[in-house]
Amino acid sequence: MPMLDYWNSRIERAPQEELHEIQERKLRQLVDTVYRSSVFYRNRFKEAGVKPEDIKTLDDIAKLPFTYKKDLRDNYPTKMFCVPMNQVERYHVSSGTTGKPTVVGYTRGDIELWTTSLARAMTSCGLGRGDIIQVSYGYGLFTGGLGAHYGAEEIGASVIPMGVGNTERQIELMVDLNATAIACTPSYLLHMNETAKKMGISIKDDSNLKVAILGAEPWSLETRKRIEDTMGIKAYDIYGTSEMSGPLFTECQEQNGIHVWADHFLLEIIDKNGDPVKDGQKGEVVITTLSKQALPLIRYRVGDISILNNRECDCGRTHPRLMRILGRSDDMLIIRGINVFPSQVESVLMTIPEVGEHFQIIAERQGELDDLTVRVEVTKAAFSDKLADLMKLEKKIQYELKKVLQLQTKVELVETGTLPRFQGKSQKVIDKRKI
Ligand code: DLL
């Protein structure tokens, strides 16, 4: 049994009845606030025929309409915000499904909530003052870097704000500064391990690393075992989405599910019809943010598939656990931690006149990292015998895709009629990765 340690012992171990009371009270307040402050929510509620006074108990949540990523796009950039703009202290941005990205805003209180959630989570992974945490998630519009950074500072750890890339330097600093923990995507950590070997360094023997906080993309228990065995560390799952704030929740030292802080977030797991699944069944994660101010979300369809476990954990925490993310309910791909919707690729390709109607998106794992290839048919008119013309077109497509996806893709040009045609639903995405 690992040593127990809590960031906020009272609330993390509060009886579940007390957590339910907090949720009920906060849900009523939330519904009231958004009804008054947001045209979007007021209209949605009206369409669904529900008024704030109809929400009395937690069960009444089923009366409230769902919110979707599409709503954030339709209300781009900030029309869903519920506070005056001068109270917004920070913006983060993530991929939308097509065209415009999703913009998330934070008040001072939202950043504090995010930081506290991660302070609880990092403490539950056994981290605290004296730890040296290398943050190798991207800093900037992506939420991983700054989120982990604030959480790590809050628990009194020392932070190495590394960001992504420059892998050899990452390894050098990890060793020289005695990093005890790293926060990054699981595939990047595997890549670091491979690179370290080439440099003649063993992360297991030559570094002080003992903990990794890994997420932002799906990874399996088998990958965890490989990471833990080859690097001699404990690897914890960390979860969140930009719409919720960013990374918020992790497993505790029991490594048996991700604790979701129930005093601030209300979780539901639903089936294809939008009804709650039976206890212990898998379904789509739906989240209601009970304390967020700038962009509160009501019954937000996250799109991730998981199982909810309400049993008290052996660590003593009473908050519900998500039992790993098992997949997506939509076709979103995650490549090197970046979310890619096939619809985004399509909308870019269709603006390029030389590109025909048919394309394929191929996701592959090269070594430990993912690559995305977009194979496109070129129109008859644009197809050329000259290699230089084709290379120019390839570069143009790559450039246009990068602008929208923020990801370097490989582009393969093929002649019209080369790609498979489908009678029914077309299969545009070929995912060759085994995660
Ligand atoms: O990926 C936030 C984050 C940063 C989480 C750092 C963890 C660590 P988005 O870019 O909005 O936010 O992507 C969110 O990534 O809906 C999941 O599909 C996927 N995802 C995130 N964490 C995990 C995980 C950040 N631990 C989307 N396991 C989510 C599986 C994950 N998928």
Side-chain angles (χ1 to χ4, degrees):
M1 181 78 189
M3 200 177 71
L4 291 184
D5 205 357
Y6 306 95
W7 179 251
N8 181 341
S9 168
R10 220 208 63 68
I11 195 75
E12 287 172 53
R13 297 199 291 173
Q16 291 193 340
E17 302 74 57
E18 184 183 331
L19 292 175
H20 290 162
E21 276 164 30
I22 296 174
Q23 290 189 321
E24 214 156 73
R25 174 170 52 76
K26 285 196 169 182
L27 180 67
R28 281 196 300 263
Q29 273 168 7
L30 173 71
V31 167
D32 216 49
T33 309
V34 299
Y35 196 79
R36 278 186 288 103
S37 60
S38 154
V39 177
F40 166 81
Y41 278 118
R42 195 159 51 245
N43 287 341
R44 263 299 155 82
F45 287 9
K46 280 184 180 155
E47 282 162 26
V50 58
K51 292 209 172 67
E53 51 271 29
D54 299 330
I55 307 304
K56 296 193 180 70
T57 69
L58 279 184
D59 289 338
D60 291 331
I61 195 163
K63 297 177 184 164
L64 293 169
F66 292 115
T67 315
Y68 301 85
K69 196 171 180 86
K70 183 178 177 303
D71 294 322
L72 291 162
R73 186 189 68 201
D74 293 347
N75 291 283
Y76 177 85
T78 56
K79 287 203 276 291
M80 273 176 71
F81 285 19
C82 293
V83 295
M85 294 312 285
N86 65 5
Q87 288 186 31
V88 176
E89 279 203 357
R90 170 110 60 90
Y91 296 95
H92 283 280
V93 175
S94 80
S95 347
T97 45
T98 55
K100 294 292 186 190
T102 300
V103 177
V104 183
Y106 306 72
T107 62
R108 166 81 44 102
D110 290 334
I111 290 176
E112 281 167 7
L113 163 69
W114 184 10
T115 302
T116 310
S117 296
L118 267 184
R120 289 185 196 173
M122 286 180 166
T123 307
S124 82
C125 299
L127 298 173
R129 187 169 295 281
D131 276 300
I132 300 166
I133 305 181
Q134 180 160 336
V135 177
S136 302
Y137 285 118
Y139 280 72
L141 291 176
F142 179 57
T143 53
L146 281 168
H149 186 111
Y150 273 51
E153 279 190 350
E154 181 76 0
I155 60 171
S158 313
V159 185
I160 309 173
M162 197 72 224
V164 288
N166 213 338
T167 309
E168 295 194 355
R169 188 144 180 258
Q170 298 244 8
I171 294 158
E172 225 170 80
L173 284 175
M174 174 199 281
V175 174
D176 294 348
L177 295 178
N178 291 317
T180 58
I182 186 161
C184 62
T185 59
S187 54
Y188 192 58
L189 186 59
L190 284 165
H191 178 64
M192 278 177 87
N193 195 37
E194 227 178 35
T195 310
K197 268 191 223 145
K198 286 187 196 144
M199 294 163 69
I201 294 172
S202 150
I203 292 188
K204 190 175 195 166
D205 300 326
D206 303 327
S207 83
N208 256 347
L209 204 70
K210 60 180 169 67
V211 166
I213 302 184
L214 307 176
E217 65 184 11
W219 58 305
S220 61
L221 290 173
E222 292 69 30
T223 302
R224 160 151 50 208
K225 187 160 175 357
R226 224 167 92 188
I227 289 175
E228 293 193 332
D229 292 350
T230 56
M231 290 180 232
I233 60 173
K234 283 276 214 177
Y236 296 100
D237 203 359
I238 178 166
Y239 176 67
T241 76
S242 14
E243 300 90 327
M244 295 175 197
S245 280
L248 286 162
F249 315 118
T250 65
E251 296 172 310
C252 62
Q253 288 180 72
E254 297 295 326
Q255 293 183 303
N256 189 18
I258 299 161
H259 286 282
V260 175
W261 308 120
D263 48 332
H264 297 303
F265 297 90
L266 178 53
L267 259 181
E268 294 173 83
I269 303 285
I270 58 165
D271 64 19
K272 285 204 172 73
N273 303 320
D275 297 321
V277 297
K278 290 207 183 73
D279 267 359
Q281 298 290 302
K282 69 176 181 185
E284 186 186 334
V285 176
V286 172
I287 205 130
T288 299
T289 64
L290 296 171
S291 313
K292 269 178 83 197
Q293 298 166 330
L295 183 59
L297 293 170
I298 292 190
R299 303 195 86 201
Y300 183 71
R301 302 279 292 257
V302 183
D304 291 318
I305 305 290
S306 185
I307 295 170
L308 182 63
N309 180 350
N310 276 313
R311 282 193 307 277
E312 190 178 315
C313 181
D314 288 344
C315 73
R317 290 178 182 81
T318 46
H319 297 240
R321 280 169 286 163
L322 276 178
M323 304 308 289
R324 265 193 123 68
I325 305 304
L326 301 167
R328 296 272 316 167
S329 63
D330 58 16
D331 53 4
M332 185 180 92
L333 295 162
I334 304 181
I335 308 289
R336 301 188 183 209
I338 297 176
N339 304 348
V340 177
F341 290 93
S343 47
Q344 282 178 296
V345 175
E346 178 164 346
S347 64
V348 172
L349 293 180
M350 292 308 128
T351 60
I352 304 174
E354 296 91 335
V355 170
E357 278 77 53
H358 298 274
F359 66 93
Q360 265 180 350
I361 300 170
I362 301 144
E364 280 169 298
R365 185 148 285 183
Q366 307 282 3
E368 303 294 356
L369 292 178
D370 294 341
D371 267 333
L372 199 72
T373 303
V374 182
R375 195 175 282 156
V376 295
E377 283 190 4
V378 177
T379 58
K380 278 209 173 80
F383 208 85
S384 164
D385 294 338
K386 286 200 204 116
L387 193 61
D389 289 347
L390 290 176
M391 281 175 68
K392 205 167 136 202
L393 177 58
E394 206 175 281
K395 287 256 152 15
K396 174 176 164 183
I397 299 173
Q398 246 172 2
Y399 174 78
E400 293 300 324
L401 285 169
K402 173 111 195 258
K403 266 202 318 207
V404 172
L405 306 179
Q406 306 301 319
L407 181 78
Q408 189 68 38
T409 52
K410 292 183 183 155
V411 170
E412 272 178 34
L413 303 180
V414 296
E415 271 182 84
T416 303
T418 320
L419 297 179
R421 307 299 199 246
F422 297 90
Q423 300 276 327
K425 270 184 200 295
S426 65
Q427 200 203 344
K428 292 203 176 78
V429 179
I430 302 170
D431 197 342
K432 296 184 176 168
R433 300 169 299 175
K434 288 196 182 66
I435 293 167

